[in-house]
Amino acid sequence: MLEPFIADWLNLLIRWGHMIAGIAWIGTSFYFVALDFSLRSGKALPEGVRGEAWEVHGGGFYHVQKYLSAPGQMPDHLTWFKWEAYLTWVTGFLLLVVQYYIQAGAYLIDPAVLALSPSAAIAISIVSIILGWALYDGLCRSPIGKNTSALAACVFVLILAFAYVFAHVFSGRGAFIHVGVVAGTMMAANVFMVIIPNQRKITAALIRGETPDPRLGAIGKQRSLHNTYLTLPVLLMMISNHFSMLTDAPNSWLLIGLIFVGGAALRHFLVRHEVGDPLAKIAWALPIIFVALGLAWWLSGSPLLSLDWANLLVRWGHMIAGIAWIGTSFYFVALDFSLRKHANLPPGVAGEAWEVHGGGFYHVRKYLTAPETLPKDLIWFKWEAYLTWLTGFLLMIVMYYVQAETYLIDPNVEPLTQWQAIGLSVGSLLVGWIVYTALCRSPIGRNTGVLGLCLLAMILAFAYFYTHMFSGRGAFIHIGALIGTLMAANVFMVIIPNQRKITAALLKGEKPDPKYGAIGKQRSLHNTYLTLPVLAMMISNHFPMVTDHPHAWVLAGLIVVGGALTRHFLVRTEVGDSQSDIAWTIPLIGTALAFALIITQPEALPLYQGEVTDAEALTITQTRCASCHAATPTDSTTKAAPKGIELETVENLKRYAAQIETQAVKNKAMPLGNKTKMTDEERAKLGAWIARQ
């Protein structure tokens, strides 16, 4: 068993890395799926080109052509999309190890379901992950794989079978996360074992001057399509641990089946709607989605207008929109740095790139301002940002405004009323945008370095304000909301309007003002460097060692600095910069992390010297904790025990001892806002009881 402090930091860093890699992978997949459906064909296209599209992003115009199998002559440089998938799986498995294997007794095993030893549970987990891929891959390669509908039905039955087994072997949250892991392994292995190898075979054949086997591209397309339809259900599995109404439902395996049916139908509807299919053509998906949702609600036994269901659906939507937005941003930033320039490019082209994804070859050219002749069909990347902010604000309402006294207000920090807290929240977001945009438009905005320092100082000032007004988790989520608002408003208030001005000028036959492109590029660059810090803020509520630290605003600053430097390192590494040119970021990132580790090191608490019996420890938790952490919570704001942790028996106290020590004894993060008035002596007694187990 790892020391809780180390386990928490490993959890935070790996979870952060998993989010970054997952967004890069799934976001890029979202982009290419939408692109493929948006391609337009025409008589003037070069031989072998399936279609083309014109895109606008970050102040630039991009011309994309997709080849049916491969170009007639292989380009010198090819960009492969593979590391995102590999790193997503690796970080996901590491997170499984830290969260579920090392802490198997608390999170993976439930004696009420099946009395397993940790080693047996871990063995079942690993074998099931391997077996899941073997069975799925076998189905795809069998004669069944030639029939799309039959294969889809068999894959669904396979996932449902695993769900049934997991629900009868592991804890509720362990079962849900393992269905997600099995499906995620199928997706990552599709990339690693099928799609990339097939693309390499196609490339090798072209280099030898041979015609590639068309089956290779068809198989890659099939597996890419599977990945597309598995994406939304897997995302819901990954946030399921927040919702015991799902994980602890009597027939949770059936709920998992409904999630996969509804999620796949929703993915189909979103893809087809995004590319302009008429509603009448895709309306059949809507009753499937709503029937799946209705049955899931019925099986969960939750009230129809439950805040938990609102939280779940809005959180899921926020994840989908955020991945689409940030993932697309990741893609275009990497693309811009990967562009190659040579003498044969048309006038106005900044560079070109050749990319391989999902069995297809893509040729991309970026124009400095805009092409001489503006195309009729332009793809604008804007709704992803708008929907991310809108769903994020709705989630803020459901989680922090409606339940302000539980999650936003801490009387020990500042005794605010609900409406005072909401007013400060909304007002601060508005003020933050006004101050930020004023800085960008002032003379300071002409100096990148000075503007960056001013922006850091502004975020630190807001962090200080939030940590002295709100609860710990409320403060950090507001730092994230502030940064997210700056990013979304950059798109809505600056980048898209400037792109429209460029477009309008071209339509009138005028030369666009180059300042619009420069301003759009500046704001896009800000969004790029703010991305990783905002992701860390969004997962901060899992880690009271950060949110409830006396100097949490300093930690927020370290996250912003370390995250921005990490983003710079990743971007420059991805585009092939020499490590010696970017090595300067490593000691700075390490220093930020080391400082965060040092200041969050828990203080050595004096051990309670008296004898603490099991009965006394149980009395403390029943008095101070069980109003929420019980089979039937009595707290008016809690419908089910958070994360399924019930503290009503001595056996469960022992099972969750490490979590109690971290949350209630050392970090003092629980009870939330100390609403049940747990005393320092009671915390010391719990610590002494845990130490003697």
Side-chain angles (χ1 to χ4, degrees):
M1 177 72 71
L2 284 176
E3 202 279 327
F5 172 72
I6 300 299
D8 276 350
W9 268 104
L10 280 175
N11 192 327
L12 188 156
L13 295 174
I14 295 170
R15 190 183 295 266
W16 194 16
H18 186 53
M19 282 190 69
I20 295 166
I23 288 171
W25 176 26
I26 298 174
T28 300
S29 174
F30 280 0
Y31 164 78
F32 276 103
V33 169
L35 171 63
D36 283 354
F37 284 119
S38 302
L39 294 172
R40 300 289 185 267
S41 58
K43 296 180 181 179
L45 291 177
E47 184 180 354
V49 174
R50 173 190 163 189
E52 66 178 357
W54 284 90
E55 305 172 327
V56 187
H57 189 275
F61 289 79
Y62 299 82
H63 181 218
V64 187
Q65 291 182 329
K66 180 180 181 180
Y67 283 75
L68 288 169
S69 59
Q73 183 177 357
M74 284 298 297
D76 295 331
H77 180 77
L78 273 175
T79 301
W80 298 78
F81 296 91
K82 55 182 181 179
W83 292 109
E84 300 88 347
Y86 303 167
L87 289 174
T88 300
W89 191 89
V90 170
T91 53
F93 187 75
L94 288 175
L95 193 57
L96 188 68
V97 171
V98 171
Q99 184 72 22
Y100 287 91
Y101 290 179
I102 293 176
Q103 305 179 84
Y107 295 120
L108 185 55
I109 300 167
D110 185 348
V113 176
L114 188 62
L116 292 170
S117 67
S119 58
I122 294 168
I124 292 171
S125 169
I126 294 173
V127 169
S128 67
I129 293 170
I130 297 171
L131 183 62
W133 162 250
L135 292 173
Y136 162 76
D137 188 54
L139 284 170
C140 291
R141 296 177 187 273
S142 73
I144 294 173
K146 299 173 184 176
N147 186 310
T148 302
S149 299
L151 179 59
C154 287
V155 172
F156 173 71
V157 170
L158 177 64
I159 291 172
L160 201 60
F162 272 100
Y164 182 85
V165 172
F166 290 146
H168 290 80
V169 172
F170 297 144
S171 66
R173 60 185 293 174
F176 266 69
I177 207 69
H178 269 79
V179 175
V181 170
V182 167
T185 298
M186 293 176 186
M187 295 169 64
N190 274 340
V191 176
F192 182 70
M193 304 287 285
V194 180
I195 297 171
I196 293 296
N198 283 10
Q199 289 172 336
R200 291 198 180 281
K201 289 175 184 177
I202 292 171
T203 304
L206 289 167
I207 291 174
R208 294 194 303 266
E210 302 172 357
T211 300
D213 187 342
R215 291 179 304 172
L216 298 173
I219 292 170
K221 184 177 180 180
Q222 179 198 55
R223 299 299 182 98
S224 292
L225 194 65
H226 293 178
N227 283 9
T228 296
Y229 283 94
L230 286 172
T231 300
L232 300 196
V234 166
L235 291 178
L236 188 50
M237 294 294 111
M238 297 310 172
I239 62 171
S240 62
N241 63 315
H242 290 272
F243 304 99
S244 56
M245 64 183 182
L246 298 181
T247 59
D248 295 333
N251 295 298
S252 59
W253 64 280
L254 290 175
L255 276 169
I256 291 172
L258 292 169
I259 288 169
F260 273 83
V261 170
L266 177 61
R267 183 73 184 107
H268 180 81
F269 181 85
L270 292 175
V271 168
R272 300 310 311 176
H273 178 69
E274 186 176 353
V275 301
D277 275 9
L279 185 60
K281 187 177 179 180
I282 56 176
W284 62 267
L286 294 176
I288 293 177
I289 295 167
F290 286 114
V291 168
L293 176 61
L295 288 174
W297 160 74
W298 178 66
L299 285 174
S300 73
S302 293
L304 179 60
L305 300 179
S306 165
L307 281 178
D308 283 339
W309 271 100
N311 188 335
L312 170 67
L313 296 176
V314 175
R315 189 183 295 266
W316 193 23
H318 186 53
M319 282 190 69
I320 295 167
I323 288 171
W325 176 27
I326 298 175
T328 300
S329 174
F330 280 0
Y331 165 77
F332 275 103
V333 169
L335 170 64
D336 284 354
F337 285 119
S338 302
L339 294 172
R340 300 291 189 270
K341 191 166 186 178
H342 53 80
N344 297 326
L345 290 176
V349 174
E352 67 178 1
W354 284 89
E355 304 172 330
V356 186
H357 188 274
F361 289 78
Y362 300 80
H363 182 213
V364 187
R365 284 177 172 172
K366 179 181 180 180
Y367 284 77
L368 289 168
T369 54
E372 292 183 2
T373 304
L374 196 68
K376 294 180 180 179
D377 297 312
L378 272 175
I379 299 173
W380 297 78
F381 295 91
K382 55 183 180 178
W383 292 109
E384 299 89 345
Y386 304 165
L387 287 173
T388 300
W389 189 88
L390 179 61
T391 53
F393 191 72
L394 287 174
L395 191 56
M396 180 92 82
I397 293 173
V398 171
M399 191 75 185
Y400 289 92
Y401 291 177
V402 176
Q403 304 177 85
E405 293 183 356
T406 301
Y407 295 113
L408 184 56
I409 300 168
D410 184 347
N412 296 318
V413 176
E414 187 67 32
L416 300 169
T417 66
Q418 180 182 22
W419 288 108
Q420 285 174 332
I422 295 171
L424 288 173
S425 169
V426 175
S428 66
L429 298 180
L430 292 173
V431 171
W433 165 251
I434 292 169
V435 173
Y436 163 74
T437 199
L439 283 171
C440 292
R441 293 177 178 177
S442 73
I444 292 173
R446 298 170 195 160
N447 187 309
T448 302
V450 174
L451 179 59
L453 290 174
C454 289
L455 179 56
L456 173 61
M458 187 195 90
I459 293 173
L460 275 174
F462 274 95
Y464 184 87
F465 169 76
Y466 287 141
T467 55
H468 287 76
M469 283 291 149
F470 298 146
S471 67
R473 62 187 294 173
F476 264 71
I477 208 68
H478 270 79
I479 299 168
L482 173 68
I483 296 173
T485 297
L486 302 184
M487 295 169 65
N490 273 339
V491 176
F492 181 69
M493 303 288 285
V494 179
I495 297 170
I496 294 297
N498 283 9
Q499 288 172 336
R500 292 198 180 280
K501 290 174 184 177
I502 293 172
T503 304
L506 288 167
L507 288 172
K508 291 186 290 190
E510 302 172 356
K511 185 177 181 180
D513 190 335
K515 74 176 183 180
Y516 294 128
I519 293 171
K521 185 176 181 180
Q522 179 198 54
R523 298 300 181 96
S524 292
L525 193 66
H526 292 178
N527 282 10
T528 296
Y529 283 92
L530 289 173
T531 300
L532 301 197
V534 82
L535 293 178
M537 301 300 168
M538 295 310 173
I539 62 172
S540 63
N541 63 315
H542 291 272
F543 305 101
M545 64 182 179
V546 173
T547 59
D548 293 315
H549 193 275
H551 302 295
W553 65 277
V554 175
L555 286 167
L558 292 171
I559 289 171
V560 171
V561 171
L565 289 170
T566 302
R567 184 72 183 106
H568 181 80
F569 178 84
L570 292 174
V571 167
R572 300 312 311 178
T573 297
E574 186 173 354
V575 301
D577 275 12
S578 169
Q579 291 296 304
S580 60
D581 292 336
I582 56 177
W584 60 270
T585 60
I586 302 297
L588 294 178
I589 295 169
T591 300
L593 176 59
F595 193 38
L597 286 169
I598 290 169
I599 65 175
T600 55
Q601 180 71 40
E603 297 180 6
L605 297 175
L607 195 63
Y608 183 77
Q609 297 302 316
E611 182 69 25
V612 182
T613 64
D614 290 355
E616 190 172 3
L618 184 60
T619 298
I620 293 172
T621 56
Q622 286 181 333
T623 304
R624 308 302 185 189
C625 310
S627 57
C628 294
H629 291 280
T632 306
T634 57
D635 188 284
S636 60
T637 64
T638 306
K639 302 297 185 294
K643 298 185 178 180
I645 296 176
E646 298 174 9
L647 303 177
E648 296 178 291
T649 65
V650 173
E651 289 72 22
N652 273 0
L653 293 193
K654 293 178 179 179
R655 180 184 177 191
Y656 298 112
Q659 289 70 36
I660 295 171
E661 183 179 31
T662 299
Q663 303 279 16
V665 178
K666 291 185 175 180
N667 291 323
K668 298 183 180 181
M670 292 291 169
L672 282 174
N674 201 18
K675 63 195 304 183
T676 58
K677 310 299 182 185
M678 180 181 281
T679 66
D680 287 342
E681 182 182 4
E682 288 171 329
R683 296 181 195 277
K685 285 182 176 181
L686 280 178
W689 180 82
I690 291 169
R692 291 165 186 161
Q693 296 309 304

